[in-house]
Amino acid sequence: MSTRTPPASEGAPALVPAPPSAPTRPRSAPPPGARAVVAAVLVALAGTALLNAPPPATARTAPESAAGPESAAGPESAAGPESATTRSLTPSGSTAPGSTAPDPTAPDPTAPDPTAADPTAPDSTSADSTTPGSTTPGSTTPDSATPDSATPDLLAAPVHFAGKAFDTCEAPSLTVMKAWLASPYGAVGIYFGGRGRGCPVQKELTPSWVASAHAMGWRLLPLFVGSQAPCVDSLAKRKYAIGSTPVTQGTKEGGDAVRAAKALGIGTSSPLYLDIEAYQRGDTNCAATTLSFVRAWNREVRRLGYLPGFYSSADTGVRDMETQRRAGTKDLPEVMWFARWRGQPALLTESVLQPQAWTPHARIHQYSGNVTETYGGRTLAIDRNAMDAPVARVTAPARFAARVPVPLSFVASQRP
């Protein structure tokens, strides 16, 4: 809205009233005396002052139309509102004849509003445009910091797999993986890093194994078992408890996870699943420490261009993450892998998760554990999973892939 005062018209001198003390004389009257000369000089000075004075703030040279005060400065042209604020200046910078003189005390309508939000500035109330656990998770854009290895614009979309998956403590040999092509599973969980792994040696797990298994058609779920909750249930995991600086520790281990994934040929936009084993319910200090660690781990993994996933018991870690999601907490996992061993998949009906939480393509349900299955004459002890979630993007060079024949029946299957 314009706050400029319309300029005085060129007929302003006619508005100067004749002073009442100046008598009207006929043209044939003789010249006035000294008193008349003084009076004439005073009248002239008063007229000059009135001519140079600005019009009153309430005065307008034309009535305002129904469109409001803006129309007092002249109607906007068909070119749009911009023409109403255009100024025509002479080379000296003065106002050209016929243009509207700007009021130096009025705000410039073309200048940005200092109170308006900057659309290019990051939202201070949100970590990113996608809230973890909402109906649009799985964003490939890391958090506010730029990844070390890729920028958000260069990150590929995540790869999703829907079907059955298994995980086992130690990566099976490629011979076993070939034999298990006859199984109903299409994805496999691999424990690729972390100081809390139950099988830390992983003699089969190499870049060649990753490239070869992927070339067979297997989709990979990278699991990282790092520090655990201070009140973790498993006695064997107590020695890996989160320390007194959970944020620092989580950040460090997030970087460790990314480096280990890269070393195996697992590329950016891949999910990295943080394994937090079941811990005691009701211990608020323990839960708070664990949450700080997990959020720091998530931030670092996301910053480096990967998707932070989360595995835990439905009744402890998963329940606590859902509580935080409902509270609007930032830096939560992008993908939820929950363990509840009831023998049957319940991917979208888990009781501790709201139906819209971590959907679509962001859930894995571990529905059975410590079971033994045999395919192609090869037996494994596994956990069973149903999933609709991201899997690893394998970037290991093709030369790493071992020459393992793939049955034609498998090539024609529905595996992605």
Side-chain angles (χ1 to χ4, degrees), residues 74-248:
E76 295 177 0
S77 70
E82 187 66 28
S83 61
T85 60
T86 302
R87 292 167 172 79
S88 176
L89 299 179
T90 62
S92 63
S94 62
T95 305
S99 65
T100 302
D103 181 356
T105 65
D108 184 356
T110 63
D113 183 0
T115 64
D118 182 1
T120 64
D123 183 2
S124 61
T125 63
S126 176
D128 53 19
S129 59
T130 302
T131 302
S134 69
T135 56
T136 55
S139 169
T140 60
T141 303
D143 209 6
S144 56
T146 302
D148 289 353
S149 58
T151 61
D153 292 338
L154 298 178
L155 293 177
V159 178
H160 298 100
F161 173 79
K164 289 189 174 183
F166 76 91
D167 61 276
T168 187
C169 188
E170 186 174 350
S173 69
L174 289 174
T175 301
V176 173
M177 296 302 294
K178 176 187 173 184
W180 271 57
L181 291 174
S183 75
Y185 302 105
V188 56
I190 54 172
Y191 292 89
F192 74 99
R195 67 187 187 121
R197 284 186 296 178
C199 298
V201 176
Q202 299 288 339
K203 64 180 182 295
E204 298 287 346
L205 193 54
T206 63
S208 177
W209 187 97
V210 168
S212 299
H214 188 266
M216 288 183 198
W218 289 103
R219 298 300 172 251
L220 309 180
L221 299 170
L223 281 150
F224 184 88
V225 192
S227 297
Q228 297 295 304
C231 56
V232 62
D233 288 342
S234 172
L235 294 177
K237 302 292 185 183
R238 295 282 174 88
K239 60 183 176 180
Y240 307 116
I242 300 167
S244 59
T245 57
V247 173
T248 301

Side-chain angles (χ1 to χ4, degrees), residues 326-411:
R326 296 186 189 188
T329 302
K330 302 176 184 178
D331 304 321
L332 296 183
E334 296 279 356
V335 193
M336 186 59 66
W337 187 342
F338 56 96
R340 189 183 293 282
W341 293 357
R342 289 182 173 172
Q344 295 296 325
L347 192 62
L348 300 178
T349 57
E350 168 52 44
S351 60
V352 303
L353 297 175
Q354 285 188 342
Q356 79 277 11
W358 284 282
T359 60
H361 314 306
R363 285 193 184 191
I364 305 174
H365 179 200
Q366 188 182 87
Y367 60 91
S368 293
N370 297 329
V371 298
T372 301
E373 296 188 30
T374 302
Y375 296 98
R378 301 289 180 165
T379 301
L380 290 175
I382 66 167
D383 298 332
R384 297 169 177 161
N385 304 274
M387 65 176 289
D388 180 6
V391 291
R393 292 182 63 254
V394 175
T395 60
R399 61 185 174 83
F400 283 167
R403 294 184 175 275
V404 181
V406 179
L408 293 179
S409 59
F410 175 75
V411 174

